[in-house]
């Protein structure tokens, strides 16, 4: 592997063909030089060809030029022939592609600078993105450039060239073909990709007796089973929150649904404005979640009490008899909820989370159909994953086969089974027994250790493929850059078992799709162009199916709920930072404060203060949790709003071989997950230990101390306010001795508005900002010292009873005060005001007195206490946004309102001879809730200007007279008067 | 006139003890006061060794800070300033007694100053040297700060921001150091000449001859000298007040609760004098015994300093009272929270109560002559006061910063070993400079003492 | 024409010193000077010295400093490189005052020091007076008087001084 040092960012073809090495990647510039080769095929520019589409195509071609020298055959795609000036250095190229998560795709548009992807954005045309992107999507870029990625193809510790690998696989397949693949087994990651489905079909033809299993550590078998119980077949459920006025979420963190979180967040947020149409959310859950935090009523119930509560609600609605014991608070809640639901027939919605047993899911289906919600607020489609849906049982079945020696060759594309398999099945040892265990993975991990073959996977941004969104919409996954390391895409990897590994992903794709569409070549080529440009294949969404209950509701309500478990119950949860562990080596996500607990670089045994008291344990104390078949030492963290008598353990930490970043971070909750895919385990014994653990939590205090900071009102209070009279004293210009500077003259007066009613605290903005602004990661120790660098801080305050508080999130970034307290105290004029009202930070003038931070009432300034950019691997430097200075030690930094985007837009507007339009800050662009709005306050028509005049608008710390340019819109809650 | 009348004339109403014991001749005074230079104390070398070792700590701390960054200190967000600025303000404060004793007492014709002013001035200069170190090394990029803070024409075409109190600091502290140094040296010249002329060895004679610049005690020189010295004193007096007022602006100008208050300038100045006199006592009480200066540095001198500390202590206490009153009366919730919750019961409450004990209660003991004149107690009290004043700066800086407006950004501050080694290092460096001063420079203003002596005897009708 | 010579003598007390001075002045010898370890009250009158220029020097320098401070702050921050710093744009600005004071004091102080050096012609490591060994007591405990006289009159003045009770009367060697 030649070190990246030898490879300049912009490569000269001449330096590329080093003998014996295939070059690691090429730049867009090169494409410009070779454009000639692509002249054919770019005849007519399609009618709706926008500038961005142009760039998408160019991007693709760029990537393809890259492929010429590396991946098997040389492919060409639609070239980009016009306006060669487009790919000059400093210009951004945008590619449409898609990223799959738990099998479901989110459409993305990725910006590349000088041939390297530097920023991930959502694809507005994609139904699962709507232009937004999640923290996971954003962080994918860091994975791409991770120097710790798996490299090369290995068999029994010896490196294979790509060709050798293919021929070896070919031999292997041939051998298995003899007995129809009886001793061949596949453990695959769930994926809705039509191309991979086609491959499976052909593989099954070739190896009729081979076994195909789909597995992921976090599967929603319960939901599928529930659907089967209710409808007699598996169906996907799609919530239509924009139509729902009353939502009951039963242990369902729907705002974090894999593959659908962005759409659901957008739809949910769109109905949180005060008024008749405002929705009302009830959540019953054990641990506080994103969804629970934005609920109007949150019922603190253990995982096992959700089912009785659901039954009680059903009983109130006349379904089933199991009503809760009268007089209990839950009974009262159930009554009110039921009443509210029935008041809103066809406009209500009951959602159930994957942790709940199938019976509860079935009950929810019964409720929804009884409430006439089916087809209104909830639609059903046939499962998008189809037979590729993950099943928790897969892992144990596989283990059994291996145990019995029925597997000679095991092909694994599923993520890290050894780490995430049930504690009981010692999969590591078993895989070591398989003669040919072939593991295809992005990173070397616990599973790599156990497998005889290790095949480095190409990052999705490096490979061709296709994928489907949760609603079925197909996207073509196109590479943005040729593989940085010697690696194989999933498509080529599986194709290898069809002896077509060297055909190239593009050809596979086009052939498959030409066959699927049955279009003539010319039309197909035109269609193909459109798909690449738009990032979606229009009209491929699954159409809703009429889902009638296959059994009378009575039967569903009669399904006996699981017995209330004895003793302490442990509930597992995917983690907001590392999910099931697959992002554990991603420093951005590790340092992302958990949206609910604010913990970074860690997980913990979360429990309620009451439970902690009863167990005699205190915050940070290390306890030993023991269940049948496993035990684990974990530090305790008290979580306000957590249900009693249960512990919540986020999965995905405590990695042994997860890479440098993940080492020694948190504890491995899978050790207690004794049965496959179990979400809960009962009868846990807790023995207090000696050790004390220090969590790295950037926010230490969660009470507002009665200060008017993150404001919220109940809808009825607000109505009385006659249009925000409540907030008059928190806006406008307070009296000042200094003559205010007049900002109405320049064309632009930049400002921002943050709508607390919309913000869910999901923290996507935070990672987007980190990516856009080259913000360093500082590590747990520095975070604990109070030196986290993220420019956006999502403050989270609790109010009400400590045991069961209300939560509010408030993103705080530089407020760009017109009378900025930070400015006049700087001795060297390193922070000053622009004539458009930006509070500018002049890095190269800063000497680091930190006076500005001391005098900033919002404490949004960040200081480089140490050199947080020590010698980085050259590949990591490719990650940097070339428009943003990388700050040195001893320099203050802070949110700039994405000044680099403003200037880029200014240049483009000037070239086009018009005013700046459609400018978005990075946080705004990522935000799925549209809670952050940035723009020009001098343009009275702009959205931000309207929001600044909104009745809910107020200024943070208004009485200090800082006149912030960032306005906040008070959050409105919509509580049920019956429960007041 | 009669001796009694003469005595009454020279003694102030508060004065009981004499300013100079016995009736030494000028020659005797000369030899006694210059003795430490010609035959030093045996333990001097040991003391220097210890101080030098401690100064090594300073070197280590500074090198580590500059090599690795401010991250080696305990500072963070929200507590952007920690030990660095605490020690800066503390040392500057200590630096104030010197000039105050010399200048103000000179203007007020306070005879008792003569025996201690040189001592105090030296302390000022050395203290300001310690203080000056911190603003520089506490910055993130000292290698730029060292000259970017001064208005010099540069290729960037940019100037410092004169609206920033930190720039005022730069001017105030550098001015204060320069003027103090000149004042000290001008006062020193006649004594250097005396040293030159009473030196036995040629080396001394030449060395001191160079520094004496050729002083002969000519009356034509004395004429300009006296007026010049007087004007320097007249300039230094408001300077003392201005310097610590400006240091207090670093805080008063900011809008942070606990900083943003108009009482700071007077109360910082009083605090400075308070701690300055305390430090003089801390140093003088042992030095006086070791160097046998009891004749000229009498109990009355020490007692007078105790009285000054009592007064300034009361002013400081008033300052505390006023702050709290304003926090209540001003009606700012944030300020009230800081004063009545964070300070008194927060994580740093012990330091706050230490400050109250040392700065408010301890000086009250000086109401009693018995304690005022009890050297042991005076010495302990003076140290307690220095501790108290350090705590005051800690409370003002760290406690105000660690819990400000948005509870979400509250944090905690803990000093690191580097913070400590730099602090201890400056203490040692200060002692080192002081030991060198005692060894090589007349630590009492000989000429002035002679003048006073002459005056007393003359008025007493006697003759030297 | 030969250089005037300097006659030096020690005097027991201030009174004697002043008497001697007055006598010599009466005799027309006005180039007198006294030497003492500490300033002698009344010596200015006896020697008929003009007012010292030091206060004037200090005043001029001080006000120059103040003016300089005003110009510097105004020109640098509001003219040459004007910036919007936290909306604080007032001219004149109260924020100028501290530096006005400091710069005034600084320049005045330095001027006084340099002024004294100039007036004293310091540094002056050598002076013919130092050739007189006994004169070393001048900075320690003794009072001395010096008078400039024509070479011819040295004897007369010396005896005159002896009669006035001066001791250690001697002729200062030619300035080398």
């Amino acid at each position: 592997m030649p070190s990246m040092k030898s490879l300049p960012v912009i490569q000269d073809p001449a330096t590329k063909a080093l003998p014996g090495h295939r070059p690691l990647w090429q730049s867009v510039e090169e494409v410009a030089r070779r454009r000639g080769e692509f002249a054919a095929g770019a005849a007519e520019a399609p009618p709706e060809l926008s500038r961005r589409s142009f760039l998408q195509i160019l991007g693709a071609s760029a990537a393809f030029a890259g492929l010429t020298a590396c991946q098997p055959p040389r492919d060409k795609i639609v070239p980009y022939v016009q306006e060669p000036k487009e790919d000059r250095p400093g210009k951004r190229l945008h590619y449409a592609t898609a990223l799959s998560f738990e099998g479901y795709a989110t459409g993305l548009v990725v910006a590349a600078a000088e041939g390297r992807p530097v920023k991930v954005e959502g694809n507005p045309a994609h139904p699962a993105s709507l232009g937004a992107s999640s923290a996971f999507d954003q962080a994918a870029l860091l994975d791409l450039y991770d120097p710790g990625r798996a490299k090369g193809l290995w068999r029994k510790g010896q490196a294979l060239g790509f060709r050798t690998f293919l021929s070896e696989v070919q031999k292997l397949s041939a051998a298995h073909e003899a007995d129809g693949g009886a001793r061949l087994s596949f453990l695959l990651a769930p994926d809705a990709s039509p191309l991979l489905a086609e491959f499976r079909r052909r593989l099954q033809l070739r190896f009729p007796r081979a076994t195909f299993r789909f597995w992921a550590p976090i599967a929603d078998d319960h939901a599928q089973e529930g659907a089967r119980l209710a409808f007699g077949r598996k169906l996907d459920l799609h919530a239509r929150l924009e139509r729902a006025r009353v939502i009951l979420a039963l242990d369902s963190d729907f705002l974090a649904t894999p593959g659908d979180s962005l759409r659901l967040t957008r739809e949910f947020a769109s109905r949180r404005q005060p008024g008749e149409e405002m929705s009302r959310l009830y959540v019953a859950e054990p641990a506080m979640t994103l969804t629970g935090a934005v609920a109007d009523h949150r019922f603190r119930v253990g995982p096992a009490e959700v089912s009785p509560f659901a039954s009680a609600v059903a009983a109130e609605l006349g379904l089933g008899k199991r009503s809760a014991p009268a007089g209990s608070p839950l009974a009262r809640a159930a009554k009110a909820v039921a009443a509210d639901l029935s008041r809103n027939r066809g406009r209500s919605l009951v959602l159930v989370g994957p942790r709940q047993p199938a019976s509860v899911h079935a009950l929810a289906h019964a409720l929804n159909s009884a409430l006439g919600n089916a087809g209104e607020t909830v639609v059903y489609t046939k499962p998008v994953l189809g037979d590729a849906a993950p099943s928790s049982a897969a892992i144990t079945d596989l283990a059994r086969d291996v145990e019995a020696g029925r597997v000679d060759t095991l092909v694994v594309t599923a993520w890290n089974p050894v780490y995430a398999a049930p504690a009981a099945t010692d999969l590591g040892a078993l895989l070591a027994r398989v003669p040919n265990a072939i593991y295809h993975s992005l990173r070397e991990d616990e599973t790599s250790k156990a497998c005889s073959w290790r095949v480095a996977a190409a990052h999705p941004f490096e490979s061709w493929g296709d994928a489907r969104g949760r609603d079925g919409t197909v996207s073509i996954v196109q590479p943005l850059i040729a593989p940085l390391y010697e690696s194989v895409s999933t498509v080529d990897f599986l194709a290898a078992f069809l002896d077509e590994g060297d055909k190239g992903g593009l050809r596979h794709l086009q052939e498959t799709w030409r066959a699927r569409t049955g279009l003539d070549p010319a039309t197909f080529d035109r269609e193909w162009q459109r798909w690449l440009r738009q990032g979606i294949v229009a009209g491929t969404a699954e159409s809703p199916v009429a889902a009638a209950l296959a059994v009378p509701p009575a039967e569903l309500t009669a399904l006996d709920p699981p017995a209330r478990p004895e003793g302490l119950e442990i509930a597992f949860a995917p983690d907001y930072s590392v999910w099931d562990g697959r992002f554990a080596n991603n420093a951005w996500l590790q340092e992302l404060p958990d949206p609910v607990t604010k913990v970074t670089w860690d997980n913990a045994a979360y429990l309620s203060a009451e439970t902690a008291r009863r167990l005699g344990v205190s915050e940070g104390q290390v306890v030993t949790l023991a269940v049948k078949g496993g035990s684990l030492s974990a530090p305790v963290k008290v979580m306000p709003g957590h249900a009693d008598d249960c512990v919540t353990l986020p999965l995905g930490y405590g990695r042994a071989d997860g890479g440098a970043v993940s080492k020694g971070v948190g504890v491995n909750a899978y050790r207690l997950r004794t049965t496959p895919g179990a979400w809960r385990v009962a009868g846990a014994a807790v023995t207090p230990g000696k050790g004390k653990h220090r969590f790295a939590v950037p926010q230490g205090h969660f009470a507002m101390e009665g200060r008017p900071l993150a404001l919220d009102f109940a809808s009825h209070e607000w109505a009385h306010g006659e249009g925000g009279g409540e907030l008059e004293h928190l806006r406008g210009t307070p009296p000042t001795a200094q003559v205010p500077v007049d900002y109405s003259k320049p064309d632009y007066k930049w400002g921002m508005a943050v709508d607390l009613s919309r913000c869910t605290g999901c923290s996507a903005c935070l990672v987007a900002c980190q990516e856009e602004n080259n913000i360093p990661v500082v590590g747990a120790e520095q975070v604990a010292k109070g030196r986290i660098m993220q420019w956006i801080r999502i403050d989270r305050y609790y109010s009400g009873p400590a045991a069961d508080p209300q939560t509010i999130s408030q993103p705080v970034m530089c407020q760009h005060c017109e009378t900025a307290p930070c400015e006049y105290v700087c001795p060297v004029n390193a922070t000053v005001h622009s004539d458009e009202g930006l509070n500018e930070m002049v890095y190269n003038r800063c000497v680091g007195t930190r006076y500005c931070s001391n005098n900033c009432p919002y404490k949004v300034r960040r200081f480089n206490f140490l050199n947080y950019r020590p010698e980085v691997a050259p590949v990591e430097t490719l990650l940097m946004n070339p428009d943003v200075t990388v700050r040195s030690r001893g320099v203050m930094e802070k949110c700039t309102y994405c000044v680099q985007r403003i200037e880029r837009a200014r240049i483009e507007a000037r070239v086009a001879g018009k005013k700046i339009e459609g400018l978005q800050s990075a946080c705004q662009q990522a935000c799925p809730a549209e809670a952050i709005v940035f723009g020009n306050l001098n343009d009275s028509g702009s959205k931000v200007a309207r929001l600044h005049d909104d009745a809910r608008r107020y200024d943070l710390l208004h009485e200090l007279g800082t006149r912030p340019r960032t306005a906040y819109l008070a959050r409105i809650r919509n509580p049920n008067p019956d429960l007041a | 006139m009669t001796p009694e009348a003469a005595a009454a004339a020279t003694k102030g109403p508060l004065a009981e003890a004499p300013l100079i014991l016995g009736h030494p001749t000028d020659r005797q005074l000369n030899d006694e006061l210059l003795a430490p230079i010609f035959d030093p104390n045996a333990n001097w070398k040991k003391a220097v060794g210890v101080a030098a070792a401690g100064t090594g700590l300073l070197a280590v701390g500074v090198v580590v800070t500059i090599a690795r960054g401010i991250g080696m200190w305990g500072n963070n967000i929200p507590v952007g300033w920690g030990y660095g600025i605490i020690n800066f303000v503390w040392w500057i404060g200590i630096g104030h007694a010197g000039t105050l004793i010399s200048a103000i007492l000179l203007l007020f014709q306070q005879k008792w100053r003569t025996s201690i002013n040189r001592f105090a001035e030296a302390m000022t200069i050395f203290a300001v040297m310690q203080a000056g170190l911190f603003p520089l090394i506490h910055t993130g990029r000292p290698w730029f700060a060292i000259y970017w803070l001064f208005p010099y024409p540069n290729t960037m075409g940019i100037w410092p921001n004169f609206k920033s109190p930190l720039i005022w600091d730069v001017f105030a502290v550098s001015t204060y150091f320069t003027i103090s140094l000149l004042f000290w040296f001008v006062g020193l010249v006649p004594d250097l000449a005396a040293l030159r002329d009473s030196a036995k060895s040629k080396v001394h004679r030449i060395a001191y001859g160079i520094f004496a610049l050729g002083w002969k005690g000519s009356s034509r020189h004395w004429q300009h000298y006296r007026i010049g010295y007087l004007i320097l004193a007249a300039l230094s007096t408001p300077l003392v007040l201005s310097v610590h007022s400006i240091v207090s602006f670093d805080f008063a100008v900011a809008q942070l609760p606990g900083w943003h208050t108009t009482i700071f300038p007077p109360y910082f100045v009083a605090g400075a004098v308070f701690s300055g006199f305390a430090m003089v006592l801390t140093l003088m009480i042992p030095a006086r015994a070791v160097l046998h200066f009891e004749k000229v540095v009498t109990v009355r001198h020490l007692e007078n300093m105790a009285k000054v500390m009592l007064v300034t202590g009361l002013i400081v206490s008033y300052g505390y009272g006023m702050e709290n009153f304003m926090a209540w009366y001003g009606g700012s919730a944030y300020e009230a929270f800081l004063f009545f919750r964070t300070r008194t019961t927060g994580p740093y409450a012990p330091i706050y109560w230490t400050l109250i004990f040392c700065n408010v209660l301890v000086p009250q003991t000086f109401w009693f002559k018995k304690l005022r004149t009890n050297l042991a107690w005076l010495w302990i009290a003076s140290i307690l006061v220095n501790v108290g004043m350090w705590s005051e700066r800690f409370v003002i800086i760290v406690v105000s910063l660690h819990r400000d407006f948005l509870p979400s950004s509250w944090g905690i501050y803990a000093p690191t070993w580097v913070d400590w080694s730099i602090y201890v290092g400056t203490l040692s460096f200060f002692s080192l400079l002081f030991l060198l001063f005692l060894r090589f420079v007349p630590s009492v203003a000989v000429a002035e003492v002679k003048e006073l002596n002459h005056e007393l005897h003359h008025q007493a009708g006697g003759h030297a | 024409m030969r250089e005037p010579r300097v006659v030096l003598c020690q005097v027991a007390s201030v009174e004697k010193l002043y008497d001697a001075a007055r006598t010599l002045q009466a005799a027309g010898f006005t180039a007198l000077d006294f030497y003492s370890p500490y300033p002698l009250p009344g010596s200015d009158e006896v020697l008929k010295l003009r007012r010292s220029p030091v206060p004037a020097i200090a005043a001029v320098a001080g006000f120059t400093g103040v003016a300089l401070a005003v110009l510097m702050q105004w020109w640098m921050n509001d003219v040459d490189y004007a910036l919007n710093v936290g909306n604080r744009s007032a001219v004149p600005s109260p924020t100028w005052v501290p530096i006005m004071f400091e710069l005034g004091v600084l320049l005045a102080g330095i001027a006084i020091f340099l002024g004294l050096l100039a007036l004293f012609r310091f540094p002056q490591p050598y002076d013919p007076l130092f050739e007189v060994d006994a004169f070393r007591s001048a900075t320690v405990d003794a009072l001395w008087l010096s008078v400039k006289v024509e070479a011819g009159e040295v004897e007369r003045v010396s005896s005159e001084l002896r009669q006035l009770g001066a001791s250690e009367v001697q002729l200062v060697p030619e300035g080398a």
Side-chain angles (χ1 to χ4, degrees), chain A residues 621-879:
Chain A
Q621 186 173 355
V622 177
V623 301
T624 310
L625 299 158
V627 300
K628 202 157 124 300
S631 85
L632 174 71
S633 294
V636 163
K637 193 141 185 21
V638 170
M639 176 195 268
H642 198 287
D644 298 336
D645 304 323
C646 60
V647 177
T648 302
L649 267 177
L651 298 164
Y653 289 88
R655 299 292 302 275
D657 300 290
V661 174
S662 63
K663 215 165 205 58
V665 179
V667 297
N668 180 0
Y670 287 108
R671 300 250 306 279
L672 296 181
R673 208 183 185 197
T674 44
T675 47
W679 283 95
R680 291 149 52 179
V681 44
V686 179
T687 43
K690 287 276 153 291
K692 197 87 179 160
H693 182 78
R694 189 181 179 205
F695 294 100
V697 191
Q699 180 179 353
H701 195 88
F702 299 121
M704 256 182 285
E705 301 296 343
R707 304 172 178 186
L709 305 178
L711 298 182
D712 60 346
F713 297 83
S715 45
H716 52 86
E717 301 166 343
W718 185 253
H720 299 157
E722 295 312 320
E726 302 94 331
L727 296 177
E728 279 314 326
H729 63 295
L730 291 180
R731 53 170 160 246
T733 306
T736 163
Q738 301 279 345
V739 187
V741 174
D742 175 16
Y743 288 101
S744 63
K745 296 273 174 301
D747 290 348
Y748 308 106
K749 173 181 175 182
W750 304 115
M752 187 177 272
V754 181
D755 187 339
L756 300 184
S757 256
R758 286 175 163 272
C759 179
T760 65
C762 74
S763 304
C765 51
L766 217 140
V767 183
C769 177
Q770 192 147 22
E771 183 177 13
E772 170 76 18
N773 293 297
N774 299 337
I775 298 172
V777 166
V778 297
E781 183 218 15
Q782 291 289 309
V783 171
K785 274 197 153 92
R787 298 172 181 174
I788 199 163
M789 293 300 283
Q790 291 143 357
W791 288 357
I792 304 178
R793 192 179 71 226
I794 299 186
D795 293 353
R796 215 251 298 87
Y797 296 110
Y798 290 130
S799 56
D804 190 8
Q806 282 198 326
T807 314
I808 185 164
S809 296
Q810 179 178 41
V812 179
M813 65 295 285
C814 176
Q815 307 283 301
H816 291 267
C817 315
E818 287 186 3
T819 54
C822 52
E823 289 177 3
Y824 61 85
V825 297
C826 175
V828 291
N829 273 329
T831 181
V832 296
H833 235 67
S834 84
D835 56 1
E836 294 176 349
L838 294 185
N839 168 254
E840 296 174 324
M841 185 66 221
V842 191
Y843 301 128
N844 58 354
R845 176 66 175 172
C846 177
V847 298
T849 65
R850 304 184 296 290
Y851 198 175
C852 51
S853 167
N854 290 349
N855 205 28
C856 172
Y858 309 97
K859 289 288 176 284
V860 290
R861 295 183 153 256
R862 301 285 174 263
F863 186 68
N864 290 273
F865 282 94
L866 296 168
N867 177 9
Y868 292 130
R869 293 265 182 221
E871 208 38 58
V872 292
V875 64
E876 288 172 284
T877 61
L878 304 182
L879 170 70

Side-chain angles (χ1 to χ4, degrees), chain A residues 530-607:
Chain A
R530 183 176 288 106
W531 296 346
L532 288 182
R533 267 180 248 117
Q534 297 178 335
I536 59 168
V537 178
T540 45
E542 286 290 343
S543 43
V545 298
L549 291 183
V551 293
E555 267 183 51
L556 297 176
T557 56
L559 290 170
D560 35 334
R564 173 79 180 78
E566 288 313 307
L568 202 67
E569 187 172 24
I570 293 176
F572 302 100
D575 186 83
Y576 289 116
S577 292
V578 303
W579 191 245
D580 56 6
R582 72 186 58 201
F583 301 113
N585 209 52
N586 188 306
W588 284 349
L589 291 171
Q590 283 282 12
E591 194 152 303
L592 179 70
D594 182 293
V596 176
T597 64
K598 294 293 154 195
V599 173
T600 66
W601 291 98
D602 228 335
N603 66 344
Y606 293 104
L607 35 69

Side-chain angles (χ1 to χ4, degrees), chain B residues 171-196:
Chain B
F171 280 82
V173 175
S174 47
T175 301
Y176 186 53
F177 181 70
T178 318
I179 298 298
S180 306
L181 193 61
L182 293 177
F183 190 58
W184 183 66
F185 181 71
V186 170
L188 204 49
V189 165
D191 292 358
L192 291 169
L195 266 168
R196 175 195 64 203

Side-chain angles (χ1 to χ4, degrees), chain A residues 49-63:
Chain A
L49 194 59
S50 70
R51 176 169 170 283
R52 162 172 283 173
S53 337
F54 262 129
L55 296 179
Q56 288 167 17
I57 304 170
L58 168 65
S61 64

Side-chain angles (χ1 to χ4, degrees), chain B residues 1-11 18-20 22-24 111 450-464, chain C residues 15:
Chain B
M1 74 171 63
T2 69
E4 302 72 39
T10 48
K11 290 180 179 177
L19 288 167
I20 299 178
H23 299 295
K111 303 252 176 297
K450 287 176 191 163
E451 185 179 7
L452 175 66
N453 188 36
H454 176 74
E455 222 172 298
L456 294 171
H457 289 219
H458 183 73
Q459 283 151 335
H463 278 276
Chain C
E15 294 76 2

Side-chain angles (χ1 to χ4, degrees), chain A residues 13-28:
Chain A
T15 67
K16 209 160 73 263
L18 307 167
H21 292 303
R22 58 183 184 74
L24 298 172
W25 64 294
Q26 288 81 22
S27 69
V28 175

Side-chain angles (χ1 to χ4, degrees), chain A residues 212 270 294 302 325 368 557 704 741 832 898 932 972:
Chain A
F212 290 83
S270 69
V294 296
N368 279 328
T557 56
M704 256 182 285
V741 174
V832 296
C898 283
I932 302 176
I972 304 298

